[in-house]
Amino acid sequence: MASRPSPRGRAVRPVQLVAMMIAFLLIAIAGGLLTAGLLLPAVGSVGAVGNATTDLFDDLPTELEIDEPSEQSVMLDADGNVLATFFAENRIVVGFDEISQHMKDAVVAVEDHRFYEHGGVDPDGILRATVRNITGGDLEGASTLTQQYVKNVQIEESRVLNDPELYQAATETTIARKLREARLAIALEQVRTKDEILTGYLNIAQFGPSQWGVEAAAHHYFNKSAADLSIAESAMLAGITQSPARWDPVTNPENAQQRRNTVLGTMLREGFISRAEYDEAVAIPIADMLDVQEAPRGCGVAGNAAYFCQYVVNEILRNDAYGETVEDRRQLLNRGGLTIHTTLDPAKQQAAFDALVGSVPVDDPSGISMALSSIEPGTGRIYAMAQNTRYGVASEADPRATQVNYNVGQSHGGGSGFQSGSTFKVFTLVQWLREGHSLMERVNSANRFFPRRDWTISCAPEYADNYEPKNLEGFGGGSETVLESTRTSINTSFVVMAQQMDLCAITGIAADMGVETGSGEPLQNNPAMILGSNTVTPLSMANAYATLAAGGIACEPVAITRMQDRNGEEITVPPSDCKRVLEEDVANAANYALQSVMGPEWDSTGSTARIPPRPSAGKTGTANEDMHAWFIGYVPQMSTAVWMGHSDRDEQMGYEVINGQWRNRVYGGLIAAPTWKAYMLRATEGMPIENFAPASPRAVQGERLRVPSIGGQTVEQAQQTLEAAGFTVRIGDAVDSGWPVGLAVATTPEAGSQAPAGSTVTIYTSGGRQSEAGEDPAGGGDGEDAGANPSGDDPGNSGENPGNGGNPGEGRGRGGDDD
């Protein structure tokens, strides 16, 4: 409803009061056949009083702007089920033909039996009220239904505009207000039919302490539609409007029955019902009529989808597409009669909640919270959003109830987020691939100290600092491929990788892929962030991983698909903002690596989340000292993040009983990963099995170079030859050879083969002839492949099995690192 000036006139002088009375009577005598304005010449002939009256009428409004009354909005899930309703006044607007004739008759009988005869005001009633008012009795209104409708419209306008002065002007007990009402009522009857006015009244009037309009009242008191109201029910509702609290049948059944019978008597007298119908209706006890249905509002009625509902509400309130100000948007939601269609899949939502409470029940003594967000790659549609808490305000009876949505940040009713642990390593991996590195490149994974000077942080150089991460005992320590380091989540490997890049590029691509902090502040750039010190939200992490599943297309999360106004007209919903942020071959290579995390090997950190035969990829995460644990994984059609921890503090989990089982520590693969699996098994039922796009050989193996021949060279010459060709060199053992002792005679990989740029080539030297005379194990050639493969393996091809992985071997480090 648009804002407009309030109908407030000048202060009334004594002479004008007399003029009002005369005008009131003249209007009554006219009976609505003439507008108040046409009476002015007659009124103006009475001298000073006439002048005052003419002056007064100049102040009165001549038209009533009627907007649709406030109506409840409804939020639906993707299957069309009602999640929640929202209203400032519980009202459902219906048409004339959707209201029982008994209801129309009851209201006309008790409120204005001459409704279909007068022209907006009732002369008999006004004359009677005027005499009573002049003789000192209580101010009597004698309002027609049309006048009452005018009054209700003005009251509704004051509520919508939140204007106390307008409300006072519409309800003040003065003749001036009655005169304004009368003039507006007469004008209204010139442009609206009687049935339209009656329908408007029945939709806007208050029919209970918290029920506006006859349809909402019928649902509340009788659990039926207004179209199905009986004579007795109609009489009861018609009687309530005079004093909704006094005649409320729930709190005052005796009063309500008395008032109902009065209305029935009036209906009988006016010929709307027969004596038999009257007798039957008055014989029904009020208690036998009622089937009271409460109409709770807001997200509290959405069950385990309450937090998603809250997310949608915040999406509406913070988006200027739905109104210029927050108050405008709130009014639209609570009064606009919207139908809000959302992305929530009810089956997946139930699966999400069941998976969470199956791992950590709502009232688990550990007090550990869990949250799950599930999203569709390529569209951003949110499938599910759940947590293992009850929605509400914490109390002594339910101390764990909360309205804080752990899945999202503060802008959408959430908190400040949680340290991501090793789930953040994915963004170092992605940037590594973007800069031309491959999965088979080797890095030194040994624990070490990284001084401040080693870091490049172009956007925030002041955050460079000394850093000394640690691997979990038994993991890392030697030369590891990036693929193997990803599968087993070796901390130092990722720090070494990040050290070779600009940290701002890593956080930059993370943000581009969708990662958000709970506070909305930019991601911090410091060495600790490599292993997950930033506090991020589960929804944004699920969305960032969905970017990989979508082949590099990032989308803003979407919760609303359609919105319609009270008339069924479409309201424009902002579309999902999807754009390419990653090269497709980079995304494919990252998917290749993250599939290995979920392999069957004992040391693959995500093995407990495997859902064969469906290809899946993902990453575990455990923040420092087991304070937060994550698993984020995806299939081509869906990405899901699971977080667990203490929602209000960074506190170590473990050394306690969780869901009836003693846990000495809690890491990403222990509870979060199986929870992800439990959800995904149900959520993907009936979903076609799809494979990830293949990774390019270049991204996996790197640039392939020909291994040069070094037979007969000194070790120093051979090393220089191989390094010049783009390889890293390792010196192997001496082998049986006819070449002079100490010379280079063979390599692995062998001369002439192709190997990844930067990969390690092992040089083998001659140990002299060790066999019987006449034999030449080297074959008398150039010394390559000295009779055998000395190492028995191919370092350039090791570790390539993205479908394999295993049990969580997690490497903890400082500053938010994990597994």
Side-chain angles (χ1 to χ4, degrees), residues 76-88:
L76 309 176
D77 65 23
D79 287 352
N81 305 306
V82 175
L83 288 175
T85 55
F86 305 87
F87 53 82

Side-chain angles (χ1 to χ4, degrees), residues 378-433:
T379 68
R381 294 187 175 208
I382 301 170
Y383 282 137
M385 181 181 289
Q387 61 193 58
N388 67 333
T389 58
R390 279 182 288 271
Y391 182 86
V393 178
S395 63
E396 185 175 346
D398 191 1
R400 293 204 66 222
T402 181
Q403 291 182 335
V404 177
N405 185 348
Y406 303 147
N407 284 284
V408 299
Q410 295 167 355
S411 65
H412 283 79
S416 57
F418 312 103
Q419 285 190 352
S420 63
S422 282
T423 60
F424 206 83
K425 290 176 181 174
V426 167
F427 307 111
T428 294
L429 174 66
V430 166
Q431 188 59 27
W432 174 265
L433 294 167

Side-chain angles (χ1 to χ4, degrees), residues 209 245 283 349 367 425 493 497 527 594 711 750:
Q349 177 65 25
K425 290 176 181 174
S493 293
M497 292 160 62
L594 294 175
E750 65 183 12

Side-chain angles (χ1 to χ4, degrees), residues 332-360:
L332 177 67
L333 177 64
N334 290 326
R335 297 181 179 276
L338 305 177
T339 301
I340 305 163
H341 301 264
T342 72
T343 61
L344 190 79
D345 184 309
K348 291 180 175 59
Q349 177 65 25
Q350 188 62 50
F353 181 74
D354 291 346
L356 294 178
V357 299
S359 294
V360 181

Side-chain angles (χ1 to χ4, degrees), residues 173-392:
T173 310
T174 64
I175 294 177
R177 191 263 295 175
K178 298 298 294 181
L179 191 58
R180 284 196 305 272
E181 264 180 24
R183 187 176 189 188
L184 287 170
I186 293 172
L188 182 63
E189 295 243 2
Q190 310 307 305
V191 295
R192 296 285 181 97
T193 67
K194 288 288 188 178
D195 287 351
E196 288 174 338
I197 293 170
L198 179 58
T199 304
Y201 173 81
L202 287 168
N203 276 311
I204 203 170
Q206 187 175 358
F207 286 93
S210 301
Q211 290 73 43
W212 279 262
V214 66
E215 180 74 2
H219 282 285
H220 173 68
Y221 289 116
F222 310 120
N223 193 22
K224 62 172 59 175
S225 169
D228 301 320
L229 291 171
S230 68
I231 292 173
E233 292 164 345
S234 298
M236 193 197 84
L237 291 184
I240 290 176
T241 57
Q242 185 190 68
S243 179
R246 181 182 179 186
W247 305 124
D248 176 30
V250 176
T251 57
N252 297 299
E254 293 182 3
N255 289 351
Q257 184 155 322
Q258 176 187 350
R259 177 64 176 165
R260 180 204 65 184
N261 293 345
T262 298
V263 175
L264 288 170
T266 305
M267 294 178 71
L268 175 63
R269 185 175 67 248
E270 297 300 328
F272 289 111
I273 57 175
S274 66
R275 168 60 67 175
E277 290 172 323
Y278 169 82
D279 292 341
E280 180 182 359
V282 297
I284 304 174
I286 284 289
D288 292 351
M289 296 171 57
L290 299 180
D291 183 9
V292 177
Q293 304 292 316
E294 297 297 334
R297 58 182 171 178
C299 292
V301 301
N304 61 45
Y307 298 101
F308 172 82
C309 171
Q310 182 191 52
Y311 178 89
V312 175
V313 169
N314 280 284
E315 184 66 16
I316 293 172
L317 295 182
R318 67 187 293 270
N319 196 325
D320 58 13
Y322 303 113
E324 291 185 4
T325 67
V326 172
E327 185 57 33
D328 290 340
R329 300 162 208 155
R330 196 182 308 279
Q331 292 280 33
L332 177 67
L333 177 64
N334 290 326
R335 297 181 179 276
L338 305 177
T339 301
I340 305 163
H341 301 264
T342 72
T343 61
L344 190 79
D345 184 309
K348 291 180 175 59
Q349 177 65 25
Q350 188 62 50
F353 181 74
D354 291 346
L356 294 178
V357 299
S359 294
V360 181
V362 172
D363 295 315
D364 195 72
S366 68
I368 291 173
S369 298
M370 296 193 76
L372 182 153
S373 286
S374 191
I375 199 164
E376 183 179 39
T379 68
R381 294 187 175 208
I382 301 170
Y383 282 137
M385 181 181 289
Q387 61 193 58
N388 67 333
T389 58
R390 279 182 288 271
Y391 182 86

Side-chain angles (χ1 to χ4, degrees), residues 462-819:
E462 66 275 15
Y463 288 107
D465 202 357
N466 298 328
Y467 192 44
E468 191 172 7
K470 301 293 183 184
N471 295 318
L472 183 67
E473 185 177 351
F475 290 87
S479 176
E480 300 279 0
T481 66
V482 170
L483 181 64
E484 184 70 3
S485 295
T486 301
R487 184 179 70 81
T488 56
S489 196
I490 299 175
N491 288 336
T492 307
S493 293
F494 282 87
V495 176
V496 170
M497 292 160 62
Q499 184 191 27
Q500 300 175 48
M501 302 182 287
D502 188 340
L503 299 193
C504 299
I506 297 173
T507 55
I509 194 58
D512 288 345
M513 291 172 65
V515 179
E516 295 180 354
T517 63
S519 65
E521 295 295 319
L523 293 166
Q524 294 182 0
N525 290 278
N526 55 48
M529 70 85 185
I530 302 165
L531 304 181
S533 62
N534 275 295
T535 54
V536 297
T537 64
L539 177 63
S540 75
M541 292 296 281
N543 195 36
Y545 278 51
T547 300
L548 296 175
I553 303 295
C555 299
E556 289 289 328
V558 172
I560 303 171
T561 56
R562 292 177 61 203
M563 189 181 295
Q564 298 158 301
D565 65 16
R566 68 180 78 235
N567 300 315
E569 298 294 328
E570 295 290 332
I571 295 176
T572 300
V573 173
S576 176
D577 181 15
C578 293
K579 57 186 178 183
R580 177 167 294 283
V581 298
L582 285 181
E583 302 81 359
E584 191 169 3
D585 64 330
V586 169
N588 294 342
N591 294 337
Y592 180 95
L594 294 175
Q595 288 179 78
S596 72
V597 172
M598 301 177 70
E601 294 87 358
W602 72 271
D603 56 350
S604 293
T605 60
S607 63
T608 53
R610 298 179 68 239
I611 51 174
R614 191 179 295 274
S616 58
K619 186 70 187 73
T620 52
T622 312
N624 260 354
E625 304 302 326
D626 299 350
M627 291 185 293
H628 305 280
W630 297 73
F631 188 81
I632 309 172
Y634 53 97
V635 297
Q637 306 101 309
M638 184 163 55
S639 175
T640 302
V642 175
W643 162 86
M644 65 182 299
H646 293 281
S647 60
D648 58 346
R649 62 195 184 277
D650 291 329
E651 181 178 297
Q652 183 177 19
M653 296 181 288
Y655 300 101
E656 60 185 326
V657 175
I658 302 174
N659 194 17
Q661 186 171 353
W662 173 260
R663 304 288 190 181
N664 63 343
R665 63 169 303 205
V666 178
Y667 46 84
L670 184 67
I671 297 175
T675 302
W676 182 92
K677 176 178 181 177
Y679 165 72
M680 293 292 283
L681 285 173
R682 286 178 57 182
T684 58
E685 287 179 359
M687 187 180 289
I689 293 178
E690 294 185 8
N691 292 310
F692 293 100
S696 69
R698 167 68 182 80
V700 176
Q701 298 290 343
E703 183 182 358
R704 305 290 291 186
L705 302 175
R706 182 180 182 279
V707 178
S709 172
I710 49 80
Q713 297 181 8
T714 65
V715 171
E716 292 76 13
Q717 290 171 333
Q719 184 169 347
Q720 291 172 2
T721 298
L722 290 169
E723 289 177 346
F727 297 103
T728 301
V729 175
R730 185 172 72 88
I731 308 301
D733 298 331
V735 297
D736 184 15
S737 171
W739 286 89
V741 174
L743 291 182
V745 295
T747 60
T748 301
E750 65 183 12
S753 65
Q754 299 288 317
S759 63
T760 299
V761 175
T762 303
I763 299 173
Y764 297 95
T765 60
S766 173
R769 187 180 299 278
Q770 304 296 320
S771 58
E772 296 179 3
E775 292 186 9
D776 184 358
D782 65 0
E784 299 301 312
D785 193 15
N789 184 340
S791 63
D793 60 8
D794 182 355
N797 293 297
S798 63
E800 300 175 40
N801 187 353
N804 295 332
N807 192 34
E810 302 191 322
R812 285 183 287 174
R814 300 179 185 176
D817 35 291
D818 92 310
D819 42 333

Side-chain angles (χ1 to χ4, degrees), residues 69-120:
S70 298
E71 189 172 356
Q72 64 177 225
S73 295
V74 61
M75 184 186 298
L76 309 176
D77 65 23
D79 287 352
N81 305 306
V82 175
L83 288 175
T85 55
F86 305 87
F87 53 82
E89 297 156 5
N90 183 22
R91 178 184 288 112
I92 304 170
V93 175
V94 291
F96 183 80
D97 294 336
E98 298 172 279
I99 303 172
S100 164
Q101 187 60 46
H102 298 311
M103 186 68 218
K104 302 167 192 171
D105 293 343
V107 167
V108 170
V110 74
E111 295 292 342
D112 184 5
H113 68 275
R114 285 170 40 81
F115 173 67
Y116 282 97
E117 301 171 19
H118 61 65

